[in-house]
Amino acid sequence: MLKGRKFLIQTIIVPFLIAITTLKAEAQNMSQIDIATKYYNALYSGEYDTVRSVASPDMVFEDPTAPEGFGIPPRIEQLEECLKFIEANTPGEIEIEYTDNYVSNDRVVLKAKMNGTAPAKIFGMGEEGNVAFTTKGVSILHVVDGRVIHHSDYMDYSGTVLRKLED
């Protein structure tokens, strides 16, 4: 009787528990990715109420890779300050194509290609007009309890394609 119970535990119960644990972990990872992409898409399409629903008010944004001459602050301490900066510097919608994403503990890594427009002054290309840009990079979003608390960008500024738009 004891051998039969051991067999039952080893062949049915243990694999079942492992499968449930794996599914639970995958569901948690997907929800973190869903939160991160919802935030990211809303941030760059001007849907700021959606951003507020998934980001902490004291969220920190940073881009340590931004060249000094581009006018992109290396760090913004509050969500509302981040939204003011994004709103002032993205006059049009930005198209985002995710090339990869994954979860590592409570960090969501988004690899993306972006196309959009921004004021020429951001890129040091004059005080007037807009610039079309194409870039790629990695964004790491720290998600805790269903909210983004930290957003770090690492963009390929040296590979960014810029084109001054005629008014």
Side-chain angles (χ1 to χ4, degrees), residues 119-137:
K121 65 183 177 182
I122 288 292
F123 299 106
M125 297 177 71
E127 291 298 312
E128 301 296 322
N130 291 320
V131 171
F133 69 89
T134 300
T135 193
K136 64 182 177 178

Side-chain angles (χ1 to χ4, degrees), residues 61-95:
F61 169 86
E62 66 179 353
D63 186 347
T65 58
E68 275 188 46
F70 275 16
I72 299 170
R75 187 173 176 95
I76 302 174
E77 294 287 335
Q78 298 289 319
L79 175 61
E80 290 304 319
E81 293 302 312
C82 177
L83 295 178
K84 285 179 193 174
F85 176 79
I86 295 293
E87 184 174 33
N89 292 293
T90 52
E93 190 168 318
I94 296 175
E95 297 173 16

Side-chain angles (χ1 to χ4, degrees), residues 38-52:
K38 181 177 181 177
Y39 159 84
Y40 205 78
N41 291 336
L43 181 65
Y44 292 113
S45 65
E47 299 171 22
Y48 301 132
D49 287 338
T50 300
V51 174
R52 289 180 187 98

Side-chain angles (χ1 to χ4, degrees), residues 11-130:
T11 60
I12 297 174
I13 296 175
V14 170
F16 177 73
L17 292 174
I18 290 171
I20 288 176
T21 303
T22 302
L23 288 173
K24 184 178 177 185
E26 288 174 3
Q28 182 181 10
N29 288 349
M30 285 305 297
S31 66
Q32 287 180 309
I33 289 172
D34 291 342
I35 291 164
T37 55
K38 181 177 181 177
Y39 159 84
Y40 205 78
N41 291 336
L43 181 65
Y44 292 113
S45 65
E47 299 171 22
Y48 301 132
D49 287 338
T50 300
V51 174
R52 289 180 187 98
S53 75
V54 293
S56 173
D58 58 349
M59 181 203 85
V60 173
F61 169 86
E62 66 179 353
D63 186 347
T65 58
E68 275 188 46
F70 275 16
I72 299 170
R75 187 173 176 95
I76 302 174
E77 294 287 335
Q78 298 289 319
L79 175 61
E80 290 304 319
E81 293 302 312
C82 177
L83 295 178
K84 285 179 193 174
F85 176 79
I86 295 293
E87 184 174 33
N89 292 293
T90 52
E93 190 168 318
I94 296 175
E95 297 173 16
I96 302 168
E97 175 191 342
Y98 297 102
T99 58
D100 194 13
N101 59 48
Y102 57 90
V103 175
S104 180
N105 294 320
D106 53 0
R107 303 304 197 278
V108 177
V109 178
L110 303 175
K111 293 182 179 181
K113 292 181 182 178
M114 303 170 86
N115 298 305
T117 58
K121 65 183 177 182
I122 288 292
F123 299 106
M125 297 177 71
E127 291 298 312
E128 301 296 322
N130 291 320

